[in-house]
Amino acid sequence: MFAGAPTRLSFDWDAVARLVASPFDLRGSPPLQGLTILGAGEHGAIGQTPTTVWSAIKIVGRSASAPRSAAAELRERLDECVDVMGRNSRLGVELSGGLDSSIVAGAARAMELPIALTLNTRGPQPETDERRFATMMANWIGLPLEVRLRQEVVFTAEAFEATAGDPWPSQNGRDLANDLTVVEACRSAGVDRLLTGKGGDALFFQMHTPLTFADLWRRRPIQALLSPALPGVARWTRSSTWSVLRASRHALQDLKVHDLSPGKRMQIAAIESGLAYYSRCLRSDVVDMVHPLMSQPLIEWALRTPVPDLTPGGQERGLARRVFADRLPEAIANRRAKGDYAAYFNQQTAANLPFLRDYLLGGRLADQSVFDRADMEARLVPDRLLWRGGAAEILAAVSTEAWVRRWEARMTAGR
């Protein structure tokens, strides 16, 4: 993959530090100096300056469809994407129990795709167990559900560094236990392609933010104040209507006429962060990981659709819920909660602290002061992890440390 890469590479340690702090934010300068990394919508050849051939902002500027037309277009585009992506393969579908993966599964069934595996994984904690909803959806589409308990895993440098060779750290491969569990299930079923619901939060707009109302207020100043969107967003964000108004006013006060609305800017950032789902992992080495909700036709549809139309009445993912209500059990179509893996990752991290202390405190990120060594040492304590959490931040540092070590080995070998 990198046979033509230059050997004179170096790290931009400031960019590396940003990745540790915000691992899913791939904007800004790349962490490798001397290697040209094409961004979303860019095209280029070796030795040439990349050119932008596709722009999210330009797509947003195109005329939006009326709400009824946007709903029909969503259904049509999703079905086409799932149909094309699922054909000519031995297909598996992830069923997390949530809305997004259920919408994808419903489309696969509507397109009459031959599905060899409907898969749900869980941890040992009760809050990770989504079998009730996943089984409900599997029954709805007339397929058996395979449920797998995520196996315990021992952290090793080899395991993290095996998938750390991309131009960006692999955020998709740091959940080693799920990686191994999905790989085993797909191999057992002979599956070579796996559909997921990744990207639905950004596409359909699930982000808990008062900026949803700010977008409507900007478009229709008087009607917005009297609309059900104001109390709807307040309920959604668990705040008062006054708090929603105050936050929306603050977000709008400095905007110019041609500026993107606050909610749409947030949606674009969320869509961009989804690129991390395409980073290498053990699953992608075994099966073709396909994310229909991150396909270009649907992304362009979402960019052209105003946030208030995506969230009618201040309801998160409200348009998608209505469009696909006939393909989902009512309990899933109206579901707001989702499984929580925070305690699972905290306990898993606590069980691997000897490795983590050695790998991080004696690693390259600590040497380069990418993080504060004393602060990281204080985080790597069982009681703190189990009572205060912090596994997500630690695992972000681990995936970046693995990436730095893998690239340093590659640079050394190329000399």
Side-chain angles (χ1 to χ4, degrees), residues 17 27 39 45 52 77 103 161 177 181 192 194 213 216 227 239 303:
R27 295 170 295 176
T52 299
R77 289 195 177 199
I103 287 175
E161 291 170 24
T181 303
D192 56 24
L194 188 66
F213 179 76
L216 180 62
S227 75
S239 56
L303 291 173

Side-chain angles (χ1 to χ4, degrees), residues 8 24 43 63 110 135 152 184 228 254-255 302 312 342 371 398:
R8 293 184 178 179
F24 286 90
H43 172 271
S63 298
T135 301
E152 293 186 12
E184 286 189 0
D254 295 325
L255 287 184
F371 56 72
V398 170

Side-chain angles (χ1 to χ4, degrees), residues 25-211:
D25 188 352
L26 304 184
R27 295 170 295 176
S29 58
L32 278 173
Q33 296 177 327
L35 183 67
T36 300
I37 301 174
L38 297 180
E42 289 186 339
H43 172 271
I46 294 176
Q48 296 181 359
T49 301
T51 58
T52 299
V53 296
W54 184 92
S55 167
I57 293 177
K58 289 183 179 179
I59 299 296
V60 172
R62 296 178 183 174
S63 298
S65 302
R68 182 172 296 180
S69 298
E73 190 178 355
L74 169 59
R75 187 161 175 134
E76 180 181 354
R77 289 195 177 199
L78 177 64
D79 285 352
E80 288 178 353
C81 289
V82 169
D83 189 28
V84 169
M85 293 176 167
R87 289 288 173 192
N88 303 317
S89 64
R90 186 163 174 82
L91 189 64
V93 179
E94 282 189 345
L95 272 181
S96 68
L99 177 68
D100 301 331
S101 64
S102 296
I103 287 175
V104 171
R109 195 57 171 163
M111 295 296 98
E112 300 182 348
L113 297 177
I115 301 172
L117 173 69
T118 51
L119 177 65
N120 173 265
T121 67
R122 64 183 182 90
Q125 294 80 8
E127 61 269 26
T128 68
D129 191 347
E130 296 280 87
R131 282 178 292 179
R132 173 194 167 199
F133 294 99
T135 301
M136 192 183 300
M137 186 63 204
N139 291 339
W140 186 269
I141 61 177
L143 294 171
L145 179 70
E146 180 164 349
V147 179
R148 295 222 174 190
L149 180 66
R150 296 186 182 192
Q151 54 191 272
E152 293 186 12
V153 64
V154 177
F155 289 179
T156 65
E158 292 76 17
F160 285 107
E161 291 170 24
T163 58
D166 285 351
W168 299 86
S170 175
Q171 303 305 331
N172 204 28
R174 66 189 192 185
D175 185 358
L176 299 178
N178 188 55
D179 242 2
L180 293 170
T181 303
V182 173
V183 163
E184 286 189 0
C186 289
R187 280 177 172 161
S188 296
V191 164
D192 56 24
R193 186 171 299 172
L194 188 66
L195 297 182
T196 84
K198 294 287 192 301
D201 290 359
L203 182 77
F204 300 136
F205 207 95
Q206 190 192 17
M207 291 76 77
H208 290 211
T209 173
L211 299 184

Side-chain angles (χ1 to χ4, degrees), residues 161 358-359 362-364 400-409:
E161 291 170 24
D358 178 69
Y359 197 64
R364 296 292 291 127
T400 308
E401 175 72 32
W403 176 82
V404 168
R405 295 191 186 199
R406 177 77 180 270
W407 270 98
E408 284 190 332

Side-chain angles (χ1 to χ4, degrees), residues 338-353:
K338 63 193 306 182
D340 187 355
Y341 275 83
Y344 166 79
F345 285 118
N346 290 330
Q347 291 181 24
Q348 187 183 69
T349 302
N352 285 278
L353 282 177

